[in-house]
Amino acid sequence: MKIAVYGSGYVGLVTAVCLADLKNQVTCIDIDESKISNLNKGLVPFFEPGLDELIQKNKSRLNFTIDAKSNLKSAEIIFIAVGTPQRPDGSAELKYVFQVVEDLSHNLTDNQLIVIKSTVPPGTCQAAEEIIKKNFSGKFAVLSNPEFLRQGSAIYDFMNPDRVVIGTSKESASKLLAKLYAPLKCPIVTTDLISSELIKYASNSFLATKISFINSIANLSEKVGANIDDIAKGMGLDKRIGPLFLKAGIGYGGSCFPKDVKALLNISQTNNIDFKILKAVDEVNESQRLIPLQKLEAKLTLKNANIAVLGLAFKPDTDDLREAPSLTILKSLLAKGAKIKAWDPVAEEKVREIYQEVIYCPSPYEALEDADALIIITEWPQVKNLNLTKVKNLMRNPLIIDGRNVLNKKQATKLGITYLGIGR
Ligand code: UDX
């Protein structure tokens, strides 16, 4: 099929490249000239494993342009995948979506599908329909088709979805979109527009709830002397609960969970629903980020202490720093006069722009030299596989705060390291 994708950010670009790999002809449209010119040179604007290679492989089926007008008419399906950032009150900023809708409404031809992939509150697709109707009198359909891609495994997630959700008021339109996804051989949930819009918020908020719940159990485990790893295993084997998203740590970050939880709270408030559970999910997550600092301060004075920080990205396999716990932790450590050496294989450059006072090291071991404490923030493989004997020998004071529960506590303790995990 001939496809156009508005927005070459994370969701738009991954969607476009994967659709090209499924043998569709895809045009990526973005207003950012330098981004488009870089993409034409094969330069991807963010780090996502496998994406550069997939662009190279499909370059004959991909076109990157700022010229929407001359590229839109031939597309059978037009995706909108522009950002919906958080407003100060927690609601989703919709101006970029509506700008695109207004723009394309002047350039449509009959029978095109307009598919909103951006995460948008209930009613947005209907509002988009109204904008288009004002400027275009031909036949068209607006569909909702939320994305569930995880950063770091976005290509795998696109190609192997648990389900595809399609919201529409027109059956024929959903059939055409379902045809595009047919090669993925997954269940397709077809629903009305508003339910589809809400499925995205409900899914992300539910996963965030699982994380805040297990983190609360972890905090309790610590007090009563239980082990959160065993508890998560014992709970997760129950099919009704499932093992995923039960990993205790220093809370969720990233571009979706914090934003979507806050947006759903805002939507609920607007509709006079007091979504008590979700408020607690957000609060628990905020306080969970501070736990490494509390543990550290209980053991040493931060002023002039050498602190090694391993991992800065909000999770492994990404350079994304949005809502990354590392930023809160670095800020606090610096405010308290600590001297920081940090390591991250891909996010370092971006953090350097924010915190010039930190010394950035080319390897985890260099960050550990003469350290009074180590804080683990991101579970990169290089961190999981640290040689603990080497760690002990390099540190001035062997104290580890393992914010992701990735090191072997028994082995660390045996070596004489003071090991503090989260709920274990
Ligand atoms: C998420 C959703 O998974 C995806 O479907 C949606 O489209 C976008 O938001 P992403 O933010 O890329 O994806 O990462 P994910 O792997 O879901 O992790 C989110 C956060 O939760 C990370 O900070 C991670 O460290 C944390 N997390 C995850 C936990 O603390 N414990 C867990 O068990 C799982």
Side-chain angles (χ1 to χ4, degrees):
M1 287 187 204
K2 286 198 169 127
I3 311 287
V5 180
Y6 262 95
S8 293
Y10 193 77
V11 173
L13 195 55
V14 171
T15 302
V17 175
C18 290
L19 287 174
D21 201 49
L22 295 176
K23 311 283 181 270
N24 300 289
Q25 201 64 42
V26 187
T27 297
C28 302
I29 303 160
D30 202 290
I31 50 166
D32 184 336
E33 276 186 56
S34 75
K35 196 190 264 181
I36 290 298
S37 129
N38 281 335
L39 281 165
N40 275 319
K41 290 180 210 145
L43 301 171
V44 181
F46 49 81
F47 176 80
E48 178 63 31
L51 194 57
D52 305 46
E53 293 86 340
L54 211 60
I55 291 179
Q56 275 309 310
K57 181 182 162 206
N58 293 290
K59 62 179 179 210
S60 63
R61 282 188 290 268
L62 280 165
N63 169 30
F64 301 103
T65 182
I66 53 162
D67 180 6
K69 201 170 178 179
S70 33
N71 284 285
L72 221 51
K73 297 244 186 262
S74 60
E76 291 157 81
I77 304 179
I78 303 162
F79 283 96
I80 299 178
V82 295
T84 52
Q86 189 181 310
R87 290 198 194 110
D89 65 356
S91 63
E93 176 59 80
L94 297 175
K95 69 177 177 195
Y96 306 109
V97 172
F98 289 141
Q99 263 161 21
V100 167
V101 171
E102 177 71 37
D103 182 41
L104 64 79
S105 68
H106 296 287
N107 297 299
L108 289 177
T109 48
D110 255 350
N111 296 317
Q112 286 176 309
L113 304 191
I114 296 103
V115 182
I116 300 194
K117 249 198 183 302
S118 309
T119 302
V120 291
T124 307
C125 290
Q126 282 170 347
E129 252 172 21
E130 295 307 315
I131 295 174
I132 297 172
K133 270 187 203 156
K134 267 197 253 159
N135 301 320
F136 178 67
S137 54
K139 284 189 195 149
F140 72 95
V142 173
L143 295 92
S144 157
N145 175 219
E147 61 78 25
F148 301 97
L149 309 175
R150 285 166 303 171
Q151 290 179 239
S153 54
I155 295 167
Y156 177 87
D157 289 350
F158 187 95
M159 295 299 190
N160 303 276
D162 291 339
R163 79 312 203 181
V164 164
V165 176
I166 298 177
T168 180
S169 49
K170 292 188 179 124
E171 205 188 323
S172 58
S174 77
K175 279 194 180 138
L176 184 60
L177 188 56
K179 198 173 137 197
L180 182 70
Y181 287 115
L184 302 180
K185 300 193 177 8
C186 67
I188 294 197
V189 180
T190 308
T191 174
D192 60 88
L193 284 170
I194 289 184
S195 303
S196 170
E197 290 167 327
L198 206 49
I199 284 171
K200 171 65 189 269
Y201 283 112
S203 301
N204 273 357
S205 297
F206 187 78
L207 292 170
T209 304
K210 262 186 121 174
I211 298 170
S212 278
F213 185 89
I214 202 70
N215 282 337
S216 299
I217 297 284
N219 297 341
L220 178 62
S221 293
E222 246 170 69
K223 296 278 182 211
V224 298
N227 180 344
I228 194 63
D229 301 335
D230 294 341
I231 294 174
K233 191 173 173 194
M235 287 171 65
L237 285 169
D238 185 327
K239 287 193 187 68
R240 294 169 302 174
I241 297 173
L244 303 178
F245 284 75
L246 284 184
K247 195 139 192 5
I250 50 174
Y252 57 78
S255 63
C256 287
F257 286 179
K259 171 172 92 85
D260 293 352
V261 164
K262 289 193 174 75
L264 188 54
L265 275 169
N266 180 278
I267 295 162
S268 305
Q269 205 181 0
T270 314
N271 288 282
N272 294 321
I273 295 290
D274 184 11
F275 205 148
K276 293 192 177 80
I277 296 174
L278 209 52
K279 275 187 204 156
V281 167
D282 190 38
E283 280 166 24
V284 167
N285 197 56
E286 290 293 326
S287 52
Q288 200 69 15
R289 283 178 187 186
L290 304 173
I291 285 183
L293 291 164
Q294 289 156 3
K295 286 184 189 277
L296 202 55
E297 284 194 290
K299 291 280 176 197
L300 48 82
T301 308
L302 284 173
K303 192 155 177 59
N304 292 324
N306 292 338
I307 310 295
V309 173
L310 296 186
L312 298 166
F314 86 93
K315 67 172 203 176
D317 285 328
T318 177
D319 61 351
D320 203 327
L321 288 173
R322 281 175 287 182
E323 294 280 343
S326 65
L327 299 182
T328 316
I329 292 169
L330 289 184
K331 189 176 174 189
S332 227
L333 286 173
L334 288 168
K336 291 184 172 171
K339 294 181 194 151
I340 306 170
K341 282 194 202 164
W343 170 87
D344 188 289
V346 295
E348 177 212 301
E349 237 171 87
K350 286 188 180 172
V351 182
R352 196 190 284 272
E353 284 168 24
I354 311 169
Y355 297 116
Q356 289 89 5
E357 313 90 306
V358 173
I359 297 172
Y360 298 91
C361 299
S363 82
Y365 294 110
E366 278 162 81
L368 282 158
E369 276 170 26
D370 289 329
D372 294 306
L374 156 65
I375 304 184
I376 294 175
I377 294 187
T378 320
E379 65 276 34
W380 286 100
Q382 297 92 318
V383 177
K384 284 185 184 172
N385 299 324
L386 279 175
N387 176 330
L388 287 177
T389 310
K390 206 169 160 184
V391 169
K392 161 97 194 308
N393 292 337
L394 284 168
M395 293 180 81
R396 188 160 72 182
N397 173 47
L399 167 62
I400 298 181
I401 316 286
D402 184 355
R404 296 293 176 185
N405 287 351
V406 285
L407 297 184
N408 185 326
K409 178 180 177 177
K410 255 193 202 153
Q411 199 198 347
T413 314
K414 213 166 154 189
L415 285 167
I417 296 172
T418 306
Y419 174 93
L420 302 172
I422 308 289
R424 62 194 321 223

PDB file of all heavy atoms in Angstrom, residues 201-216:
ATOM      1  N   TYR A 201      -4.536   4.628  27.141  1.00  0.00           N
ATOM      2  CA  TYR A 201      -4.316   5.180  28.495  1.00  0.00           C
ATOM      3  C   TYR A 201      -4.526   4.103  29.558  1.00  0.00           C
ATOM      4  O   TYR A 201      -3.787   4.042  30.538  1.00  0.00           O
ATOM      5  CB  TYR A 201      -5.276   6.351  28.747  1.00  0.00           C
ATOM      6  CG  TYR A 201      -4.853   7.626  28.064  1.00  0.00           C
ATOM      7  CD1 TYR A 201      -5.578   8.160  27.017  1.00  0.00           C
ATOM      8  CD2 TYR A 201      -3.707   8.299  28.477  1.00  0.00           C
ATOM      9  CE1 TYR A 201      -5.189   9.333  26.386  1.00  0.00           C
ATOM     10  CE2 TYR A 201      -3.305   9.478  27.860  1.00  0.00           C
ATOM     11  CZ  TYR A 201      -4.055   9.990  26.812  1.00  0.00           C
ATOM     12  OH  TYR A 201      -3.645  11.150  26.205  1.00  0.00           O
ATOM     13  N   ALA A 202      -5.557   3.272  29.349  1.00  0.00           N
ATOM     14  CA  ALA A 202      -5.851   2.236  30.350  1.00  0.00           C
ATOM     15  C   ALA A 202      -4.709   1.226  30.411  1.00  0.00           C
ATOM     16  O   ALA A 202      -4.299   0.806  31.497  1.00  0.00           O
ATOM     17  CB  ALA A 202      -7.171   1.553  30.007  1.00  0.00           C
ATOM     18  N   SER A 203      -4.166   0.852  29.258  1.00  0.00           N
ATOM     19  CA  SER A 203      -3.087  -0.155  29.233  1.00  0.00           C
ATOM     20  C   SER A 203      -1.850   0.380  29.931  1.00  0.00           C
ATOM     21  O   SER A 203      -1.281  -0.284  30.807  1.00  0.00           O
ATOM     22  CB  SER A 203      -2.722  -0.525  27.784  1.00  0.00           C
ATOM     23  OG  SER A 203      -3.835  -1.032  27.124  1.00  0.00           O
ATOM     24  N   ASN A 204      -1.407   1.562  29.544  1.00  0.00           N
ATOM     25  CA  ASN A 204      -0.189   2.111  30.154  1.00  0.00           C
ATOM     26  C   ASN A 204      -0.381   2.373  31.647  1.00  0.00           C
ATOM     27  O   ASN A 204       0.522   2.121  32.446  1.00  0.00           O
ATOM     28  CB  ASN A 204       0.242   3.389  29.439  1.00  0.00           C
ATOM     29  CG  ASN A 204       1.124   3.075  28.238  1.00  0.00           C
ATOM     30  OD1 ASN A 204       1.447   1.920  27.990  1.00  0.00           O
ATOM     31  ND2 ASN A 204       1.515   4.088  27.500  1.00  0.00           N
ATOM     32  N   SER A 205      -1.545   2.859  32.018  1.00  0.00           N
ATOM     33  CA  SER A 205      -1.783   3.152  33.433  1.00  0.00           C
ATOM     34  C   SER A 205      -1.859   1.863  34.247  1.00  0.00           C
ATOM     35  O   SER A 205      -1.423   1.818  35.394  1.00  0.00           O
ATOM     36  CB  SER A 205      -3.077   3.952  33.608  1.00  0.00           C
ATOM     37  OG  SER A 205      -2.939   5.187  32.949  1.00  0.00           O
ATOM     38  N   PHE A 206      -2.394   0.816  33.650  1.00  0.00           N
ATOM     39  CA  PHE A 206      -2.450  -0.467  34.360  1.00  0.00           C
ATOM     40  C   PHE A 206      -1.041  -1.006  34.593  1.00  0.00           C
ATOM     41  O   PHE A 206      -0.717  -1.485  35.684  1.00  0.00           O
ATOM     42  CB  PHE A 206      -3.286  -1.484  33.574  1.00  0.00           C
ATOM     43  CG  PHE A 206      -3.517  -2.756  34.344  1.00  0.00           C
ATOM     44  CD1 PHE A 206      -4.472  -2.796  35.352  1.00  0.00           C
ATOM     45  CD2 PHE A 206      -2.766  -3.894  34.098  1.00  0.00           C
ATOM     46  CE1 PHE A 206      -4.667  -3.953  36.095  1.00  0.00           C
ATOM     47  CE2 PHE A 206      -2.958  -5.054  34.838  1.00  0.00           C
ATOM     48  CZ  PHE A 206      -3.917  -5.084  35.832  1.00  0.00           C
ATOM     49  N   LEU A 207      -0.191  -0.913  33.577  1.00  0.00           N
ATOM     50  CA  LEU A 207       1.204  -1.381  33.730  1.00  0.00           C
ATOM     51  C   LEU A 207       1.935  -0.547  34.779  1.00  0.00           C
ATOM     52  O   LEU A 207       2.691  -1.071  35.601  1.00  0.00           O
ATOM     53  CB  LEU A 207       1.930  -1.331  32.382  1.00  0.00           C
ATOM     54  CG  LEU A 207       1.419  -2.343  31.347  1.00  0.00           C
ATOM     55  CD1 LEU A 207       2.019  -2.060  29.974  1.00  0.00           C
ATOM     56  CD2 LEU A 207       1.719  -3.770  31.770  1.00  0.00           C
ATOM     57  N   ALA A 208       1.685   0.754  34.776  1.00  0.00           N
ATOM     58  CA  ALA A 208       2.302   1.631  35.782  1.00  0.00           C
ATOM     59  C   ALA A 208       1.810   1.244  37.176  1.00  0.00           C
ATOM     60  O   ALA A 208       2.570   1.272  38.156  1.00  0.00           O
ATOM     61  CB  ALA A 208       1.973   3.090  35.480  1.00  0.00           C
ATOM     62  N   THR A 209       0.536   0.850  37.255  1.00  0.00           N
ATOM     63  CA  THR A 209      -0.040   0.434  38.544  1.00  0.00           C
ATOM     64  C   THR A 209       0.670  -0.817  39.057  1.00  0.00           C
ATOM     65  O   THR A 209       0.994  -0.938  40.241  1.00  0.00           O
ATOM     66  CB  THR A 209      -1.557   0.155  38.387  1.00  0.00           C
ATOM     67  OG1 THR A 209      -2.159   1.325  37.855  1.00  0.00           O
ATOM     68  CG2 THR A 209      -2.196  -0.193  39.711  1.00  0.00           C
ATOM     69  N   LYS A 210       0.923  -1.758  38.140  1.00  0.00           N
ATOM     70  CA  LYS A 210       1.638  -2.987  38.526  1.00  0.00           C
ATOM     71  C   LYS A 210       2.991  -2.618  39.130  1.00  0.00           C
ATOM     72  O   LYS A 210       3.406  -3.166  40.152  1.00  0.00           O
ATOM     73  CB  LYS A 210       1.872  -3.865  37.293  1.00  0.00           C
ATOM     74  CG  LYS A 210       0.865  -4.991  37.109  1.00  0.00           C
ATOM     75  CD  LYS A 210       1.241  -5.898  35.945  1.00  0.00           C
ATOM     76  CE  LYS A 210       1.431  -7.332  36.386  1.00  0.00           C
ATOM     77  NZ  LYS A 210       1.649  -8.278  35.285  1.00  0.00           N
ATOM     78  N   ILE A 211       3.676  -1.666  38.495  1.00  0.00           N
ATOM     79  CA  ILE A 211       5.022  -1.289  38.969  1.00  0.00           C
ATOM     80  C   ILE A 211       4.938  -0.605  40.342  1.00  0.00           C
ATOM     81  O   ILE A 211       5.679  -0.959  41.261  1.00  0.00           O
ATOM     82  CB  ILE A 211       5.739  -0.381  37.939  1.00  0.00           C
ATOM     83  CG1 ILE A 211       5.937  -1.137  36.623  1.00  0.00           C
ATOM     84  CG2 ILE A 211       7.089   0.087  38.473  1.00  0.00           C
ATOM     85  CD1 ILE A 211       6.418  -0.276  35.474  1.00  0.00           C
ATOM     86  N   SER A 212       4.030   0.347  40.495  1.00  0.00           N
ATOM     87  CA  SER A 212       3.928   1.029  41.796  1.00  0.00           C
ATOM     88  C   SER A 212       3.472   0.049  42.872  1.00  0.00           C
ATOM     89  O   SER A 212       3.876   0.157  44.035  1.00  0.00           O
ATOM     90  CB  SER A 212       2.966   2.218  41.725  1.00  0.00           C
ATOM     91  OG  SER A 212       3.646   3.336  41.180  1.00  0.00           O
ATOM     92  N   PHE A 213       2.656  -0.922  42.495  1.00  0.00           N
ATOM     93  CA  PHE A 213       2.197  -1.926  43.473  1.00  0.00           C
ATOM     94  C   PHE A 213       3.379  -2.776  43.951  1.00  0.00           C
ATOM     95  O   PHE A 213       3.601  -2.918  45.153  1.00  0.00           O
ATOM     96  CB  PHE A 213       1.112  -2.813  42.850  1.00  0.00           C
ATOM     97  CG  PHE A 213       0.523  -3.789  43.844  1.00  0.00           C
ATOM     98  CD1 PHE A 213      -0.567  -3.427  44.623  1.00  0.00           C
ATOM     99  CD2 PHE A 213       1.078  -5.047  44.025  1.00  0.00           C
ATOM    100  CE1 PHE A 213      -1.086  -4.305  45.565  1.00  0.00           C
ATOM    101  CE2 PHE A 213       0.567  -5.922  44.968  1.00  0.00           C
ATOM    102  CZ  PHE A 213      -0.526  -5.561  45.736  1.00  0.00           C
ATOM    103  N   ILE A 214       4.160  -3.275  42.992  1.00  0.00           N
ATOM    104  CA  ILE A 214       5.273  -4.150  43.399  1.00  0.00           C
ATOM    105  C   ILE A 214       6.328  -3.331  44.154  1.00  0.00           C
ATOM    106  O   ILE A 214       6.972  -3.849  45.073  1.00  0.00           O
ATOM    107  CB  ILE A 214       5.873  -4.928  42.198  1.00  0.00           C
ATOM    108  CG1 ILE A 214       6.619  -6.178  42.670  1.00  0.00           C
ATOM    109  CG2 ILE A 214       6.789  -4.081  41.334  1.00  0.00           C
ATOM    110  CD1 ILE A 214       5.775  -7.270  43.216  1.00  0.00           C
ATOM    111  N   ASN A 215       6.480  -2.072  43.802  1.00  0.00           N
ATOM    112  CA  ASN A 215       7.426  -1.236  44.548  1.00  0.00           C
ATOM    113  C   ASN A 215       6.964  -1.028  45.990  1.00  0.00           C
ATOM    114  O   ASN A 215       7.780  -1.015  46.919  1.00  0.00           O
ATOM    115  CB  ASN A 215       7.633   0.109  43.842  1.00  0.00           C
ATOM    116  CG  ASN A 215       8.567  -0.022  42.649  1.00  0.00           C
ATOM    117  OD1 ASN A 215       9.370  -0.960  42.592  1.00  0.00           O
ATOM    118  ND2 ASN A 215       8.473   0.879  41.695  1.00  0.00           N
ATOM    119  N   SER A 216       5.660  -0.901  46.178  1.00  0.00           N
ATOM    120  CA  SER A 216       5.144  -0.755  47.541  1.00  0.00           C
ATOM    121  C   SER A 216       5.349  -2.046  48.321  1.00  0.00           C
ATOM    122  O   SER A 216       5.705  -2.020  49.501  1.00  0.00           O
ATOM    123  CB  SER A 216       3.654  -0.391  47.525  1.00  0.00           C
ATOM    124  OG  SER A 216       3.490   0.831  46.853  1.00  0.00           O
TER     125      SER A 216
END
